[in-house]
C-alpha cells in the first residue's frame, strides 16, 4: 500500500467513518490478496471517498490525466498526491484515449492490487441504475481477475450533484459488497461481453435496490476521470 494512502487510512478514514457512519455489508467477499475490480453504481462524488474508506486494502482510483501534468506549484502538488495515492490517469476525451487507462490498469491488477470502476460511465442523474458499459468486463478478462459488485445508497443525499463538500448526517449511507463474479475464460466477443455486463449490472441492482434503466446514462460535461468505463 502506498505510503500516502496508508497515512490516509490511519487518519482521514477513521474520521470519515465517524462522521458518516456508513453501514457496510459483505466485506468477507473482498479477497485478502490478489487483484480484483470493484464495479459499483455511481450516485455521487462521495462514492469514491467512502469506498476507499471502508475497503481495508489499497484501492486504485482513476483521475483525470490533467492532474498529473499540471504546471507550477499546484500542478506539482496534485501530481505528488495522486501518484502517492496510486491513482491511475485517464483521458477525458473518451474512446481510444480512455481505453489507455484500462491498459494501464491491467498491470496494476495483475500485480495484485484493487481497482474501482463505475460501469455506468457517469453519475446517475436521477438515482436510477443505468445500462453498464462493457469496459469493466473486458478489463476483468484481460487481467484475469474477478469483479466484486458493489451497491451504494445514500451518498446522493450526503453530496448531491453540484455540491462540492459532502455533508454528514443528511442520509443513511449503505455500502454492500456482493460475491465475486469470475468471467475469466469466457468468450470476449461483443455479444458475450454484453451478456456478462448485463449479468454484472443485475448483481449491482440487487445490492443497491435501484430501478434499472435499459439505456446508457447521459454524459455530464463535468464528469471526472473516475467516471470512465469505456
Amino acid at each position: 500500500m502506498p505510503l500516502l494512502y496508508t497515512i490516509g487510512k490511519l487518519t482521514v478514514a477513521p474520521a470519515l467513518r465517524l462522521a458518516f457512519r456508513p453501514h457496510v455489508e459483505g466485506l468477507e467477499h473482498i479477497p485478502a490478496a490478489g487483484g480484483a475490480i470493484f464495479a459499483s453504481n455511481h450516485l455521487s462524488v462521495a462514492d469514491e471517498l467512502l469506498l476507499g474508506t471502508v475497503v481495508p486494502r489499497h484501492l486504485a482510483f482513476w483521475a483525470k490525466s490533467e492532474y498529473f501534468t499540471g504546471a507550477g506549484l499546484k500542478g506539482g502538488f496534485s501530481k505528488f498526491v495522486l501518484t502517492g495515492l496510486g491513482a491511475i490517469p485517464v483521458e477525458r476525451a473518451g474512446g481510444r484515449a480512455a481505453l489507455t487507462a484500462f491498459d494501464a490498469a491491467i498491470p496494476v491488477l495483475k500485480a495484485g492490487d484493487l481497482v474501482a470502476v463505475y460501469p455506468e460511465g457517469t453519475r446517475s442523474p436521477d438515482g436510477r441504475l443505468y445500462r453498464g458499459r462493457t469496459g469493466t468486463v473486458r478489463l476483468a478478462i484481460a487481467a484475469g481477475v474477478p469483479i466484486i459488485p458493489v451497491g451504494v445508497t445514500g451518498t446522493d443525499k450526503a453530496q448531491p450533484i453540484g455540491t462540492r463538500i459532502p455533508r454528514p448526517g443528511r442520509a443513511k449511507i449503505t455500502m454492500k459488497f456482493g460475491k465475486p463474479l469470475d468471467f475469466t475464460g469466457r468468450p470476449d466477443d461483443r455479444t458475450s461481453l454484453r451478456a456478462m455486463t448485463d449479468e454484472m449490472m443485475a448483481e449491482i441492482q440487487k445490492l443497491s435496490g435501484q430501478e434499472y434503466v435499459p439505456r446508457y446514462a447521459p454524459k455530464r460535461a463535468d464528469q471526472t476521470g473516475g467516471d470512465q468505463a469505456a
Side-chain angles (χ1 to χ4, degrees):
M1 186 180 295
L3 178 59
L4 195 58
Y5 198 95
T6 300
I7 293 173
K9 292 291 285 185
L10 295 174
T11 56
V12 178
L16 289 175
R17 286 196 297 270
L18 182 63
F20 291 94
R21 299 184 181 278
H23 174 73
V24 184
E25 297 180 17
L27 283 177
E28 68 273 12
H29 297 312
I30 300 176
I37 297 171
F38 286 88
S40 176
N41 62 319
H42 201 11
L43 298 173
S44 167
V45 173
D47 295 338
E48 295 178 316
L49 188 65
L50 292 172
L51 188 59
T53 296
V54 303
V55 173
R57 295 175 54 194
H58 174 250
L59 191 55
F61 286 98
W62 315 88
K64 292 184 293 186
S65 59
E66 299 97 291
Y67 292 151
F68 291 85
T69 58
L73 184 61
K74 182 179 179 181
F77 179 75
S78 176
K79 180 180 180 180
F80 168 78
V81 171
L82 290 175
T83 302
L85 292 174
I88 302 172
V90 61
E91 297 287 345
R92 293 187 68 185
R96 181 61 246 176
L99 290 176
T100 60
F102 279 68
D103 295 337
I106 292 175
V108 173
L109 290 164
K110 287 186 174 181
D113 216 338
L114 305 175
V115 172
V117 176
Y118 296 101
E120 291 170 277
T122 187
R123 284 166 284 165
S124 172
D126 53 18
R128 296 184 294 176
L129 183 68
Y130 284 79
R131 192 184 198 203
R133 298 178 182 274
T134 59
T136 302
V137 171
R138 284 192 283 109
L139 177 60
I141 293 175
V145 299
I147 295 174
I148 300 173
V150 183
V152 179
T153 60
T155 52
D156 53 334
K157 303 296 190 302
Q159 187 176 6
I161 291 176
T163 60
R164 291 183 173 274
I165 301 175
R167 303 170 186 175
R170 293 178 65 91
K172 178 181 178 180
I173 294 174
T174 300
M175 311 190 80
K176 298 181 180 180
F177 300 89
K179 295 180 179 179
L181 304 173
D182 188 359
F183 295 125
T184 55
R186 301 256 302 255
D188 60 355
D189 59 277
R190 181 176 298 182
T191 300
S192 298
L193 288 172
R194 182 72 263 160
M196 288 182 282
T197 299
D198 291 343
E199 181 181 338
M200 174 187 68
M201 298 307 293
E203 293 300 315
I204 294 174
Q205 184 188 24
K206 290 178 185 177
L207 297 168
S208 69
Q210 293 167 281
E211 176 187 347
Y212 181 70
V213 182
R215 65 176 185 272
Y216 294 125
K219 289 286 188 179
R220 288 178 55 82
D222 62 343
Q223 71 177 28
T224 63
D227 291 334
Q228 297 286 354

